[in-house]
Amino acid sequence: MSVLPWHLLPDNAAVGESGRLTIAGCDTIELAREFGTPVFVYDEDHLRARCREAVAAFGSDATYATKAFLCRAMANLAAEEGMGLDVASGGELHVCLSAGVPADRLVFHGNNKSLDELRSARSVGVGRIVIDSLDELDRLEALHGGDGLCPRVLLRITPGIKAETHEYITTGQDDSKFGFTVSTGAALAAVEKAAASPAVDLVGLHAHIGSQVFRVDSFAAAVGVLGEFANPLGLPELVVGGGLGVPYVEGEEGASITQWAAIINKAVTEAGITARVGIEPGRAIAAAAAVTLYTVGTVKELPGIRTYLSVDGGMSDNPRPVLYGSGYEAFLPRSVTADRRRPVRIVGKHCESGDLLVREASIQADVVVGDVVATPVTGAYGHSMGSNYNKMRRPPVVFCRNGDARLVVRRETYDDLLNTDLG
Ligand code: LLP
């Protein structure tokens, strides 16, 4: 029931001609016309600025978690700004390598890396492999020999910290599929085994307590536990993961990357950690950099019940509302600063009632069929978690900078949907 909170928009959002939203000098209504909808519109300098914040605090030990949003333009952008890149599958590895990112800038993650994935990671020479289990160490040992390769590895440690966030994205608690648990002694046993293994060069430890974590003291607590465990081992590297929460809706506030980094660095000093410390943000780099533009196709008014706005995307371009019950704001970019007084539910075009984009939205009262409607803070875990459900074509991605709009991922075609279908 209010105007859109401006801090949810990309850095270079502005009010342009007749009250329309511009992003980095590009008129959003024109972008919708030129590229069609749905479309992900990124403010490229916003992405760059967040990467620079991370690099200012941690240098080349700042690593971008590509799962948040990955295409070749993004991989290059993060690398150009001096970040390493975290990849969590053979597919993410492939995209980063095909973008031309040097393999030694990549950190390979995952709780069940296959023999093939580990073989590729070793042979291309990724900078670090983060070992998540003894089964993975066994696989690396099976690959050892002959080629003289001995990859540098970190061990994924589970510090026993339960971060306050959605259950699906907490990872630091003992009851977790990820990593070696400190409290059970598994972490120490793994360090001893990896240190003695001729197949790997153990250079440090890694932990990641969860994602969309607003309480920055959780990170300080994790650093404390990690310090206690890691200091006596004398390993040179310690990565404390990503996870910084970002505001999605009115009333939410989050720490900046710089503030988060300062809290981590203070905790590192207090814990007497002398290892090189790194971070691995994904969402904090990409989320607020983008808005998604849709077109309203139907307005269904149910007197005394509610109004449904159906748009031309849905759970296939943003599954977060369905998966985690995540909230978003919505607004009409043609009058971005106007009051939003009309309560509506914004739904997609998939064949199920669960296909919600914004459960309780307030939008400008004069919304009509044909309007472009926008959801902000959709730059992370939207495009990357998209699907082809109902054989919807995945939307394009546009990078805006200084008034120029660059198409970096085109919309899928109907023929793309048949690419893997052998008939
Ligand atoms: N490092 C590791 C090892 C991770 O597993 C993750 C995220 C990150 C870094 C980056 O976390 P971030 O800074 O983005 O919070 N799909 C969920 C989020 C899943 C996060 C998985 N791991 C969502 O849409 O909320």
Side-chain angles (χ1 to χ4, degrees):
M1 294 285 194
S2 59
V3 297
L4 177 74
W6 201 258
H7 74 283
L8 299 179
L9 289 174
D11 286 354
N12 298 295
V15 184
E17 203 188 314
S18 22
R20 289 179 180 186
L21 172 67
T22 63
I23 292 179
C26 300
D27 181 306
T28 49
I29 303 295
E30 287 300 323
L31 292 173
R33 205 165 289 153
E34 182 177 352
F35 298 103
T37 55
V39 57
F40 288 90
V41 177
Y42 282 80
D43 171 358
E44 182 174 338
D45 283 334
H46 179 123
L47 291 169
R48 290 186 184 276
R50 296 303 177 278
C51 293
R52 282 179 204 160
E53 266 187 83
V55 170
F58 289 97
S60 59
D61 297 316
T63 301
Y64 170 61
T66 64
K67 69 203 77 183
F69 166 57
L70 179 61
C71 59
R72 289 187 287 187
M74 182 64 208
N76 278 323
L77 182 154
E80 278 161 24
E81 296 300 342
M83 293 190 86
L85 281 84
D86 142 12
V87 296
S89 71
E92 289 178 353
L93 175 66
H94 182 69
V95 173
C96 291
L97 291 175
S98 77
V101 176
D104 65 3
R105 305 286 299 281
L106 304 177
V107 180
F108 198 86
H109 273 285
N111 69 299
N112 181 15
K113 301 175 210 53
S114 69
L115 193 65
D116 276 348
E117 286 175 323
L118 290 168
R119 185 183 288 117
S120 315
R122 265 177 108 255
S123 66
V124 301
V126 299
R128 302 285 180 274
I129 297 174
V130 183
I131 298 183
D132 207 276
S133 65
L134 292 180
D135 299 303
E136 284 187 355
L137 181 55
D138 287 348
R139 294 205 262 279
L140 284 167
E141 287 183 337
L143 291 167
H144 180 65
D147 57 12
L149 297 174
C150 182
R152 277 170 295 182
V153 302
L154 307 176
L155 294 184
R156 169 85 178 249
I157 299 301
T158 310
I161 298 283
K162 181 148 176 24
E164 268 182 42
T165 182
H166 193 287
E167 181 196 344
Y168 291 3
I169 50 178
T170 59
T171 47
Q173 72 284 4
D174 282 353
D175 183 359
S176 168
K177 72 169 179 171
F178 295 103
F180 297 99
T181 314
V182 171
S183 67
T184 62
L188 191 57
V191 169
E192 283 163 4
K193 186 151 189 223
S197 171
V200 296
D201 178 10
L202 176 64
V203 293
L205 302 178
H206 180 286
H208 170 75
I209 59 169
S211 193
Q212 186 57 6
V213 178
F214 276 125
R215 291 200 44 182
V216 279
D217 52 345
S218 302
F219 295 103
V223 168
V225 174
L226 288 171
E228 242 169 71
F229 178 72
N231 287 347
L233 304 172
L235 294 167
E237 296 179 22
L238 177 63
V239 179
V240 298
L244 178 62
V246 307
Y248 281 87
V249 293
E250 186 164 7
E252 282 181 344
E253 298 285 336
S256 67
I257 292 176
T258 305
Q259 290 163 337
W260 176 54
I263 282 158
I264 289 175
N265 273 328
K266 182 164 173 273
V268 164
T269 308
E270 280 168 9
I273 294 170
T274 51
R276 261 170 55 194
V277 172
I279 54 168
E280 221 165 52
R283 190 190 315 265
I285 302 284
V291 305
T292 310
L293 304 178
Y294 302 95
T295 302
V296 177
T298 73
V299 179
K300 176 177 178 177
E301 295 191 44
L302 286 166
I305 303 180
R306 72 174 75 254
T307 299
Y308 285 92
L309 295 191
S310 297
V311 298
D312 50 358
M315 60 197 287
S316 54
D317 59 75
N318 186 2
R320 302 193 66 260
V322 182
L323 267 178
Y324 318 115
S326 307
Y328 286 86
E329 298 286 342
F331 64 97
L332 299 182
R334 67 169 157 80
S335 55
V336 59
T337 56
D339 232 9
R340 300 169 306 153
R341 297 168 186 281
R342 187 165 179 192
V344 293
R345 177 163 290 176
I346 302 186
V347 297
K349 59 180 284 166
H350 292 278
C351 303
E352 53 182 283
S353 298
D355 174 28
L356 291 176
L357 282 171
V358 190
R359 180 179 282 276
E360 307 291 347
S362 293
I363 200 151
Q364 286 87 334
D366 60 349
V367 59
V368 289
V369 168
D371 263 330
V372 174
V373 63
T375 49
V377 203
T378 52
Y381 303 112
H383 188 266
S384 67
M385 289 173 70
S387 76
N388 287 124
Y389 181 38
N390 288 137
K391 291 287 183 260
M392 296 267 280
R393 296 166 300 159
R394 271 181 281 241
V397 176
V398 175
F399 274 17
C400 297
R401 191 180 203 195
N402 299 329
D404 285 330
R406 176 164 66 110
L407 184 65
V408 296
V409 179
R410 67 160 169 79
R411 187 181 309 284
E412 286 179 335
T413 63
Y414 287 125
D415 278 341
D416 286 333
L417 299 174
L418 299 173
N419 261 345
T420 54
D421 185 328
L422 303 179

